[in-house]
Amino acid sequence: MLKINDTDAVRFLDGAPDYEAADAALATLLKGDGAGNDFLGWVRLPFDYDKEEYSRIKLCAERIRKDADALIVIGIGGSYLGARAVVEFLCSPRHNEDPKGSPRIYFTGNGIDGADIAQILRLVEGKSVYLNVISKSGTTLEPAVAFRVFKDYVERTYGKEEARKRIVCTTDARRGALKSLADKEGYECFVVPDNVGGRYSVLTAVGLLPIAAAGIDIDALMKGAADMADICSKPGKDNPAVVYAATRQALYRKLGKKTEILSCPSESWRFVSEWWKQLYGESEGKQGLGIFPASCVYTADLHSMGQYIQDGERTLMETFLTCAEPAEDITVPDSAENADGLNYLTGRSLKSIYACAKEGVKQAHVSGKVPCMEIEIARPDAENLGGLLYFFEAACGISGYMEGVNPFDQPGVEEYKRNMFKLLGRP
Amino acid sequence: MLKINDTDAVRFLDGAPDYEAADAALATLLKGDGAGNDFLGWVRLPFDYDKEEYSRIKLCAERIRKDADALIVIGIGGSYLGARAVVEFLCSPRHNEDPKGSPRIYFTGNGIDGADIAQILRLVEGKSVYLNVISKSGTTLEPAVAFRVFKDYVERTYGKEEARKRIVCTTDARRGALKSLADKEGYECFVVPDNVGGRYSVLTAVGLLPIAAAGIDIDALMKGAADMADICSKPGKDNPAVVYAATRQALYRKLGKKTEILSCPSESWRFVSEWWKQLYGESEGKQGLGIFPASCVYTADLHSMGQYIQDGERTLMETFLTCAEPAEDITVPDSAENADGLNYLTGRSLKSIYACAKEGVKQAHVSGKVPCMEIEIARPDAENLGGLLYFFEAACGISGYMEGVNPFDQPGVEEYKRNMFKLLGRP
């Protein structure tokens, strides 16, 4: 289901990575007695979720799919990246051009960008629009401003009464500005759990509602996560999360490899990498520590960042994401003239050509002294993606504990907010 | 037109950056007697370009705009990133959903991804399709494979004769596989100049044809570049390229700031950053040296990479890109209930709110010991973007010479290709 290969990383180390320390970190995670242990809801989430709410998510998504041409998803950070990653990976980065009978999905409220909001207003004009606003507090600046605009739009377009059916909130279970408003207006609500931080929330209603509305099989996503949660609950080298965490920490601490590049095989992975960057950057980047998360989309970026990776500062490690079977494939057509000299590839699948490219790149980067790991999933489907997401979450918890930090807080994001609100003159 | 502010970077240095060394590097660039001096065609490009070809680019773009619903642009690396950056920045990342009377633009041949090609074939079915294939040699694997597929498609769809009018090649002026094929078939050809490397080629036909076909004013783009070329030809602190190059080299060499984060104010900048990453990564990442180029899209990534930037490893510098006037703006609507507590912002433009956010972030990151620079353009239009692109090219040449490398070669990208072709069994 998911395979990890760290041979080309371990060969750079003097001795094996510290699997025992990884096992100990895993035990802390599972016992729930480490730092940040009030945010461990994600660990058992694939099993211990609210089944009644889960059914409502499916019903609500079905209603949106039947009735909506466009779903506007308002959220930032963890209330944005998970859903976008899954939708772009399993539908496509061109989903809105190629929606295949599903609603178009517009992610907004994730910046302070009038042009973005104005464009979406133009694009949905005359279409049947639903909103999903995702905010635990309801007072986060970016989604709150976007919600004001789009709430106003649907109320003007459909009238107050009908608008109430078209606005769905994912927010705190009991308190907060958005919850109060939703109760007053009678919006359907889903829950951002107290014990799951934003960057670990993709498998809660935060991610699941927009994902289901896009037509993705969330049962399969959850099954993949549950199966992976079983695998990731066992100590030792059969647990890929233990391997990944132990190896990257060894490369970081012993060899000073301070930047990890996650290399993906196509554009559809771009936001999986963005989600991964938040997960790892926000979990580990504290107290002056942490592996800097960066990403490449191959083979495009071999013609861009490839030179640096091969020959630049030797502070890099690289993790290749691959997929054994692509979603769709084509073969190289024959060419009578063979002007490009590629007839030796005629009839070959792009999948098999990519496999050679990836292997060639890995060998080259290893020879350039970049330790490389590889994580392979079987197919780009919901089940395998659910497994991959859970794997990365589990490995991140382990890796953060190995680093000696609380992987579940984000104290550093407050300072800019304080400055900003002061400059904005907040009363 | 373009302002650079390095106050919040220089304050971390013990003394001023070495502007004299930057001036000397600039002089080497302008005299053309440094390493890689056979690739300096970009320096005078905004003045010394082929005017006859430039007119043909405009005519060809006009023909495509009149006749095509979709332009498929086949190219990788420097034959891809520049045009995509400009189109996404000046049209929008949602250009194909919101083409405003221009053809849809599909960038492909930049990976080995059957799903991408299959999807584009589906999306253009029944549409009027043109191809622009961009490859100096015509034998680069990724674009060559895509060209086989799409050439086949247009020939089957329109017949050989009509297909010849719909295929436009940007390639070597005289030799190479694509040039030979184009001459044989009678395809219209534009030139990838010998003395301009891929990553510096956005203002040649490589970038200009797809950019013009998207409806962008290439005269304005070139004018902005020409004005900036004048500014960037003078030594001293009035030259923003001297300031940028000198400051980032000082941060790198004296303070060990090994990663530079380019922070942009919205999603439309994403591929400007990708273009920048290629330009700097490929120019400077060699001989075990080079600043690692990374990017963030704000404010989204404050809720993702923000924690790391504030509190992680202190090896970062940051460069903020900003735009004094956004393309479109909206104001915060009033809310009778004020559930989100944001009525103190009612009537304020998002532009002014973003300015406070950016300032707050900069202060926070500076207090977290991240040296920050800021590069501001006046408006997100073709003229200002042309200036920005030239500025980054000039600064990159200067910075690379200051680093002591040849900023115009890319010897490290050969190794993976050798491995790959061996694995593919190339005869």
Side-chain angles (χ1 to χ4, degrees):
Chain A
M1 172 180 185
L2 181 146
K3 289 191 250 177
I4 183 161
N5 182 338
D6 69 347
T7 312
D8 288 321
V10 172
R11 67 165 69 187
F12 289 91
L13 293 165
D14 183 20
D18 194 346
Y19 301 118
E20 292 72 27
D23 285 344
L26 171 63
T28 305
L29 210 55
L30 296 176
K31 257 203 284 177
D33 59 358
N37 60 356
D38 37 352
F39 286 98
L40 290 176
W42 61 271
V43 175
R44 298 277 311 160
L45 189 65
F47 313 104
D48 300 341
Y49 56 90
D50 181 335
K51 309 294 186 296
E52 181 275 331
E53 183 191 44
Y54 187 82
S55 301
R56 276 200 305 118
I57 290 172
K58 286 192 186 174
L59 285 173
C60 181
E62 215 34 66
R63 181 162 66 87
I64 293 169
R65 289 176 58 71
K66 247 191 210 137
D67 198 28
D69 304 314
L71 172 65
I72 297 173
V73 182
I74 297 171
I76 194 165
S79 301
Y80 155 54
L81 288 170
R84 184 161 177 188
V86 173
V87 170
E88 293 208 357
F89 185 77
L90 294 175
C91 302
S92 118
R94 298 190 185 101
H95 171 73
N96 283 358
E97 232 193 309
D98 188 20
K100 296 176 181 163
S102 293
R104 289 171 176 78
I105 313 273
Y106 295 95
F107 292 99
T108 189
N110 51 58
I112 307 176
D113 179 12
D116 178 67
I117 290 175
Q119 183 182 47
I120 294 172
L121 284 170
R122 268 200 316 276
L123 288 173
V124 302
E125 191 65 48
K127 305 249 165 64
S128 171
V129 174
Y130 276 67
L131 301 188
N132 178 206
V133 53
I134 308 168
S135 177
K136 188 148 180 78
S137 65
T139 59
T140 302
L141 181 68
E142 294 89 339
V145 167
F147 184 48
R148 283 191 173 205
V149 174
F150 288 106
K151 174 172 178 284
D152 192 51
Y153 173 80
V154 295
E155 288 179 349
R156 276 188 292 110
T157 306
Y158 303 103
K160 266 255 178 197
E161 193 51 40
E162 169 71 12
R164 288 193 180 99
K165 299 179 196 150
R166 290 170 175 267
I167 297 174
V168 181
C169 299
T170 308
T171 187
D172 193 274
R174 279 168 299 273
R175 63 190 84 77
L178 184 57
K179 178 62 180 165
S180 304
L181 180 71
D183 286 348
K184 201 182 107 199
E185 296 280 0
Y187 301 146
E188 180 158 22
C189 280
F190 297 97
V191 172
V192 183
D194 282 330
N195 61 353
V196 181
R199 59 190 177 273
Y200 292 86
S201 71
V202 57
L203 300 175
T204 71
V206 168
L208 292 179
L209 181 63
I211 290 167
I216 291 162
D217 179 354
I218 61 171
D219 290 345
L221 195 73
M222 291 299 272
K223 180 184 182 314
D227 291 349
M228 186 58 69
D230 273 338
I231 293 169
C232 289
S233 68
K234 301 186 177 69
K237 280 204 69 177
D238 289 340
N239 179 341
V242 163
V243 172
Y244 181 55
T247 305
R248 63 198 292 283
Q249 281 296 327
L251 296 171
Y252 173 55
R253 291 206 253 183
K254 294 186 189 173
L255 301 184
K257 301 295 181 187
K258 298 198 174 191
T259 296
E260 179 178 4
I261 297 171
L262 192 69
S263 295
C264 307
S266 73
E267 195 66 29
S268 61
W269 289 84
R270 184 179 292 279
F271 272 81
V272 174
S273 295
E274 292 300 318
W275 171 85
W276 170 87
K277 280 186 199 171
Q278 184 195 22
L279 182 63
Y280 281 78
E282 212 169 46
S283 298
E284 299 189 327
K286 46 197 70 158
Q287 299 175 32
L289 297 171
I291 301 166
F292 184 83
S295 61
C296 280
V297 175
Y298 284 164
T299 57
D301 290 344
L302 293 171
H303 299 249
S304 126
M305 290 296 293
Q307 168 66 37
Y308 192 105
I309 300 170
Q310 190 70 44
D311 280 344
E313 288 267 354
R314 301 297 75 193
T315 50
L316 308 178
M317 65 178 93
E318 184 168 17
T319 300
F320 289 77
L321 284 177
T322 60
C323 203
E325 290 297 330
E328 274 184 280
D329 205 356
I330 61 167
T331 56
V332 177
D334 193 43
S335 161
E337 59 256 292
N338 194 27
D340 53 21
L342 294 179
N343 268 357
Y344 75 101
L345 297 175
T346 295
R348 280 192 70 163
S349 68
L350 293 209
K351 171 192 120 173
S352 80
I353 297 174
Y354 184 79
C356 293
K358 186 260 300 164
E359 201 50 41
V361 173
K362 204 161 69 161
Q363 287 173 11
H365 291 180
V366 165
S367 80
K369 306 219 184 311
V370 177
C372 293
M373 285 192 269
E374 187 169 339
I375 295 164
E376 185 192 87
I377 62 171
R379 270 175 305 282
D381 61 16
E383 188 174 332
N384 279 279
L385 181 61
L388 181 70
L389 296 174
Y390 190 93
F391 155 78
F392 272 134
E393 291 178 352
C396 186
I398 297 169
S399 184
Y401 278 155
M402 290 181 77
E403 189 186 300
V405 299
N406 175 354
F408 308 110
D409 67 357
Q410 51 284 332
V413 302
E414 293 311 312
E415 180 147 357
Y416 94 84
K417 288 186 191 172
R418 271 193 301 274
N419 296 341
M420 173 178 76
F421 286 124
K422 205 170 148 191
L423 290 163
L424 285 171
R426 183 167 72 170
Chain B
M1 171 180 187
L2 180 146
K3 288 192 249 177
I4 183 161
N5 183 338
D6 68 348
T7 312
D8 289 321
V10 172
R11 67 165 69 186
F12 289 91
L13 292 165
D14 185 21
D18 194 346
Y19 301 118
E20 292 72 27
D23 284 345
L26 171 64
T28 305
L29 210 55
L30 295 176
K31 257 202 284 177
D33 59 358
N37 60 356
D38 37 353
F39 286 99
L40 290 177
W42 61 270
V43 175
R44 298 276 312 159
L45 189 66
F47 313 103
D48 299 340
Y49 57 90
D50 181 337
K51 308 295 186 297
E52 181 275 330
E53 182 190 45
Y54 186 82
S55 301
R56 277 201 303 118
I57 290 173
K58 286 193 187 174
L59 285 172
C60 181
E62 214 35 67
R63 181 162 66 86
I64 293 170
R65 290 176 57 71
K66 246 190 209 138
D67 197 29
D69 304 313
L71 172 65
I72 298 173
V73 182
I74 297 172
I76 194 165
S79 301
Y80 155 54
L81 287 170
R84 184 162 177 187
V86 174
V87 170
E88 293 208 356
F89 185 77
L90 294 176
C91 301
S92 116
R94 298 190 185 100
H95 171 73
N96 283 358
E97 230 192 310
D98 188 19
K100 297 177 179 160
S102 293
R104 288 171 176 79
I105 314 273
Y106 295 94
F107 292 99
T108 190
N110 51 59
I112 306 175
D113 179 11
D116 179 66
I117 290 175
Q119 182 182 47
I120 294 172
L121 284 170
R122 269 200 316 276
L123 288 173
V124 301
E125 190 66 48
K127 304 249 165 65
S128 171
V129 173
Y130 276 67
L131 301 188
N132 178 205
V133 53
I134 308 167
S135 176
K136 188 149 180 78
S137 66
T139 60
T140 302
L141 181 67
E142 295 89 339
V145 168
F147 183 47
R148 283 191 172 204
V149 175
F150 288 107
K151 174 172 178 286
D152 192 51
Y153 173 80
V154 295
E155 288 178 350
R156 275 187 293 111
T157 307
Y158 304 103
K160 266 255 178 197
E161 193 51 39
E162 168 72 11
R164 288 192 181 100
K165 299 179 196 149
R166 291 171 175 266
I167 296 174
V168 181
C169 299
T170 309
T171 187
D172 194 274
R174 279 167 298 273
R175 63 191 82 79
L178 184 57
K179 178 61 181 167
S180 304
L181 180 71
D183 286 348
K184 201 182 106 198
E185 296 280 0
Y187 302 147
E188 179 158 21
C189 281
F190 298 96
V191 173
V192 183
D194 282 330
N195 60 353
V196 180
R199 59 189 177 274
Y200 292 85
S201 71
V202 57
L203 300 175
T204 70
V206 169
L208 292 178
L209 181 62
I211 290 168
I216 291 162
D217 179 354
I218 61 171
D219 289 345
L221 194 74
M222 291 299 272
K223 179 185 183 311
D227 291 347
M228 186 58 69
D230 273 337
I231 294 169
C232 289
S233 68
K234 302 187 177 69
K237 279 206 67 177
D238 288 339
N239 179 341
V242 163
V243 172
Y244 180 56
T247 304
R248 63 198 293 283
Q249 282 296 328
L251 296 171
Y252 173 55
R253 290 207 253 183
K254 295 187 188 172
L255 302 184
K257 302 295 181 186
K258 297 199 173 190
T259 296
E260 178 178 4
I261 297 172
L262 192 69
S263 295
C264 307
S266 72
E267 195 66 30
S268 60
W269 290 84
R270 184 178 293 279
F271 272 81
V272 174
S273 296
E274 293 300 318
W275 171 85
W276 171 88
K277 280 187 199 171
Q278 184 196 21
L279 182 62
Y280 281 78
E282 212 169 46
S283 298
E284 299 189 327
K286 47 197 70 159
Q287 299 175 31
L289 296 171
I291 301 166
F292 184 84
S295 62
C296 280
V297 176
Y298 285 163
T299 59
D301 290 344
L302 294 171
H303 299 249
S304 127
M305 290 296 293
Q307 167 65 38
Y308 192 106
I309 299 170
Q310 190 69 44
D311 280 345
E313 288 268 353
R314 301 297 74 193
T315 50
L316 308 177
M317 65 178 93
E318 184 168 18
T319 300
F320 289 78
L321 284 177
T322 61
C323 202
E325 290 298 330
E328 273 184 282
D329 205 357
I330 61 166
T331 57
V332 177
D334 193 43
S335 161
E337 59 256 292
N338 195 27
D340 53 21
L342 295 179
N343 269 357
Y344 75 101
L345 297 175
T346 295
R348 279 191 71 163
S349 67
L350 293 208
K351 171 192 121 175
S352 81
I353 297 174
Y354 183 80
C356 293
K358 186 260 300 164
E359 201 48 43
V361 173
K362 203 161 70 162
Q363 287 173 11
H365 291 179
V366 165
S367 80
K369 307 221 184 309
V370 178
C372 292
M373 283 192 270
E374 186 168 338
I375 295 164
E376 185 190 87
I377 61 170
R379 270 175 306 280
D381 60 17
E383 187 173 334
N384 279 279
L385 181 60
L388 182 69
L389 296 174
Y390 189 92
F391 156 78
F392 272 135
E393 290 178 353
C396 186
I398 297 169
S399 184
Y401 278 156
M402 290 182 77
E403 189 186 299
V405 299
N406 175 354
F408 308 111
D409 67 357
Q410 51 283 333
V413 302
E414 292 311 312
E415 180 146 359
Y416 94 84
K417 289 186 191 172
R418 272 193 300 273
N419 296 340
M420 173 178 76
F421 286 124
K422 205 169 148 191
L423 290 163
L424 285 171
R426 183 167 73 170

